DNA sequence: AACATGTGTTTTACCAGTAAAAGACCTACC
DNA sequence: GGTAGGTCTTTTACTGGTAAAACACATGTT
């Protein structure tokens, strides 16, 4: 459980942090294989970060596929659901600009999605009286019902997916990711550099 | 699944065995805000999975932006780098089909990328003598040099990005994600369902 | 040998996302 | 009150992805 930071020499276990797991139950996840390959080719490099970032990326990819299953049944993509969800969880109307911020997507993407969701009757828009540039978007009843119907399925699905981890493991993971995320989000400078 | 299931709210540190790091600094990451909003609207739902999956997704999104910085300087997208990296780290030629499996992308995407990378002189292809359906792709010297030049930058960048976490935290995170990932990858049925 | 079936790769048609510019509108200052 | 500059949103042009079909070839069977 020593250095992830300082040269994980031989064996990918360096970043593994757990006490006695050297031999049994070898992690056969693809990332550890990839890391081993890199270390064989470039033994001088510290591949520690890969073990974290590679896994985050890969988990995200796999989980999104998994999560998408309940959504697709409802004919929604994940970004569409995110948009509807933002409206639902805030509980009030949002402007397109606010939706951009809530869903972390570009303005153009939000415009397109709103168009489609409006056509499907899931959201409505009205203009602002004072400032005619801005629009206000709200869920229709159908939109709200759809979100409320999907969300429990979604969470149940996620629960089973995460059941690979013990509850304490899930807590740890959430906490660690929270640490990382709050720093990442706080220091946007790091990201834009 | 009761409302507040085993969710590690303030007691998270108890369950998660982290020694010194019990800094009760409130996590101000966006995910915790989102989760709070959902709980206000649907107090009966167990939002535990969101704290993990939401954060994985968000971290992935932010980290990819971060990682992309060094790549973009070299005029490569991440999927392109993944392809070149697969060739580099395996150390031998790969067929398009193998590249599909290594990089987790579709065949069509690999074909397109190979075309571009070939035009840029970073990879070469040759046919197979025995089976004329298959091609063999290898890095050119320029391609190899490019990868070798970028990789250290990339890792350095990732190291600074992860410096938000203490080394032990990084190890724990890698281990937990490895657990999750190896189960996710093993049980493909869960994902394709 | 001829054919059905399977595999490796590419092509086609299409869809969603982005960046940059445009458009519409506000505001504040001269 | 007109105009410069800023903000909110949409449009445009394009890129890159996917799914499904097409293509080219191999293989096993009769």
């Amino acid at each position: 459980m020593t250095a992830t930071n300082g040269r994980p020499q031989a064996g990918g276990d360096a970043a593994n942090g757990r006490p006695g797991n050297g031999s049994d139950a070898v992690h056969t996840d693809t990332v550890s294989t990839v890391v081993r390959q890199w270390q064989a080719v470039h033994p001088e490099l510290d591949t520690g970060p890969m073990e974290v970032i590679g896994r985050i990326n890969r988990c995200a990819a796999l989980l999104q596929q998994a999560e998408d299953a309940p959504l697709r049944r409802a004919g929604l993509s994940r970004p569409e659901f995110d948009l509807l969800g933002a409206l639902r969880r805030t509980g009030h109307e949002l402007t397109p600009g606010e939706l951009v911020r809530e869903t972390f997507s570009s303005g153009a993407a939000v415009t397109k999605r709103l168009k489609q969701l409006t056509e499907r009757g899931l959201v409505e828009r009205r203009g602002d009286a004072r400032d005619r540039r801005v629009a206000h978007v709200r869920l229709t009843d159908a939109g709200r019902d759809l979100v409320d119907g999907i969300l429990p399925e979604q969470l149940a699905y996620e629960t089973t997916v995460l059941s690979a981890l013990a509850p304490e493991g899930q807590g740890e993971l959430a906490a660690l990711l929270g640490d990382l995320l709050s720093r990442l989000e706080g220091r946007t400078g790091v990201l834009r550099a």
Side-chain angles (χ1 to χ4, degrees), chain A residues 15-88:
Chain A
N16 205 330
R18 295 182 312 171
N21 71 337
S23 51
D24 65 304
V26 172
H27 283 174
T28 49
D29 74 306
T30 50
V31 172
S32 68
T33 306
V34 167
V35 168
R36 253 192 311 274
Q37 289 176 322
W38 276 121
Q39 287 213 318
V41 177
H42 283 302
E44 80 283 6
L45 292 178
D46 174 12
T47 49
M50 279 188 186
E51 309 231 22
V52 176
I53 292 184
R55 288 198 176 101
I56 289 177
N57 286 332
R58 183 103 183 88
C59 279
L62 290 176
L63 287 173
Q64 291 211 357
Q65 272 196 311
E67 287 179 55
D68 284 357
L71 295 182
R72 291 204 187 285
R73 263 174 241 141
L76 287 178
S77 70
R78 170 140 270 275
E80 285 169 338
F81 182 75
D82 283 348
L83 194 160
L84 297 177
L87 289 168
R88 181 68 180 112

Side-chain angles (χ1 to χ4, degrees), chain A residues 33-188:
Chain A
T33 306
V34 167
V35 168
R36 253 192 311 274
Q37 289 176 322
W38 276 121
Q39 287 213 318
V41 177
H42 283 302
E44 80 283 6
L45 292 178
D46 174 12
T47 49
M50 279 188 186
E51 309 231 22
V52 176
I53 292 184
R55 288 198 176 101
I56 289 177
N57 286 332
R58 183 103 183 88
C59 279
L62 290 176
L63 287 173
Q64 291 211 357
Q65 272 196 311
E67 287 179 55
D68 284 357
L71 295 182
R72 291 204 187 285
R73 263 174 241 141
L76 287 178
S77 70
R78 170 140 270 275
E80 285 169 338
F81 182 75
D82 283 348
L83 194 160
L84 297 177
L87 289 168
R88 181 68 180 112
R89 56 173 221 262
T90 59
H92 50 72
E93 294 180 331
L94 293 172
T95 68
E98 288 168 334
L99 284 168
V100 164
R101 277 161 241 138
E102 287 294 331
T103 64
F104 307 107
S105 25
S106 71
V110 167
T111 296
K112 277 193 182 180
R113 288 201 274 266
L114 284 177
K115 195 172 155 201
Q116 295 178 160
L117 294 171
T118 304
E119 281 164 5
R120 288 206 247 165
L122 300 174
V123 303
E124 285 173 341
R125 42 194 318 163
R126 69 173 178 83
D128 186 299
R130 312 220 175 233
D131 185 340
R132 276 178 300 179
R133 287 170 305 178
V134 329
H136 296 271
V137 182
R138 66 168 162 256
L139 286 176
T140 62
D141 288 351
R144 193 176 40 69
D145 291 350
L146 183 60
V147 172
D148 286 352
I150 289 176
L151 190 61
E153 276 185 57
Q154 180 80 357
L155 285 170
Y157 203 92
E158 295 182 1
T159 298
T160 68
V161 166
L162 285 185
S163 68
L165 254 46
E168 321 88 55
Q170 296 185 27
E172 271 184 67
L173 190 48
L176 287 164
L177 290 170
D179 283 347
L180 178 56
L181 195 46
S182 55
R183 280 276 309 260
L184 288 179
E185 290 180 331
R187 310 186 62 189
T188 46

